[in-house]
């Protein structure tokens, strides 16, 4: 029973993270821009989730044109791969 053996906890060493140099000023501004863009995207996603949950939406070209003609559409989202002619027609009806 000697005092030389203190148990397994005596073998633990304290750990500290390696020192990291401070970021450049340019890197901080780009990080702020990225965080602003991500916050905006998160906001849009949250609102879309709310609309989808409520059930007050319509999908598709024909139903979009119908709601635009009736004046009931509040927001129209057009996909990036929408054909140019179809997109211009939707935009025309939205302006009326």
């Amino acid at each position: 029973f000697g005092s030389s053996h203190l148990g397994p906890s005596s073998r633990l060493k304290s750990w500290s993270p390696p020192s990291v140099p401070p970021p450049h000023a340019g890197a901080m501004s780009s990080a702020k821009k990225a965080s602003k863009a991500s916050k905006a995207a998160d906001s849009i996603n949250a609102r879309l989730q709310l609309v989808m949950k409520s059930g007050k939406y319509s999908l598709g070209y024909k139903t979009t044109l119908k709601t635009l003609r009736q004046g009931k559409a509040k927001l129209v989202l057009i996909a990036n791969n929408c054909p140019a002619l179809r997109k211009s027609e939707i935009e025309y009806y939205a302006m009326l």
Side-chain angles (χ1 to χ4, degrees):
F1 306 123
S3 64
S4 63
H5 185 291
L6 298 174
S9 62
S10 66
R11 286 182 267 166
L12 296 176
K13 296 180 180 178
S14 63
W15 181 82
S16 61
S19 62
V20 178
H24 298 105
M28 288 196 61
S29 65
S30 66
K32 282 184 182 179
K33 287 180 186 176
S35 66
K36 243 184 199 179
S38 69
K39 283 182 184 178
D42 290 343
S43 174
I44 291 170
N45 286 339
R47 289 176 185 253
L48 278 175
Q49 283 180 338
L50 187 65
V51 169
M52 295 294 281
K53 195 180 283 189
S54 73
K56 295 184 178 182
Y57 66 93
S58 62
L59 296 174
Y61 174 68
K62 289 181 182 178
T63 56
T64 300
L65 288 184
K66 283 180 188 176
T67 55
L68 282 171
R69 282 191 213 115
Q70 293 169 356
K72 293 183 179 180
K74 294 183 180 180
L75 174 70
V76 176
L77 299 175
I78 303 173
N80 284 336
N81 61 353
C82 180
L85 181 64
R86 189 171 278 194
K87 180 180 178 181
S88 63
E89 189 177 3
I90 292 170
E91 289 173 346
Y92 173 75
Y93 278 108
M95 286 174 41
L96 295 179

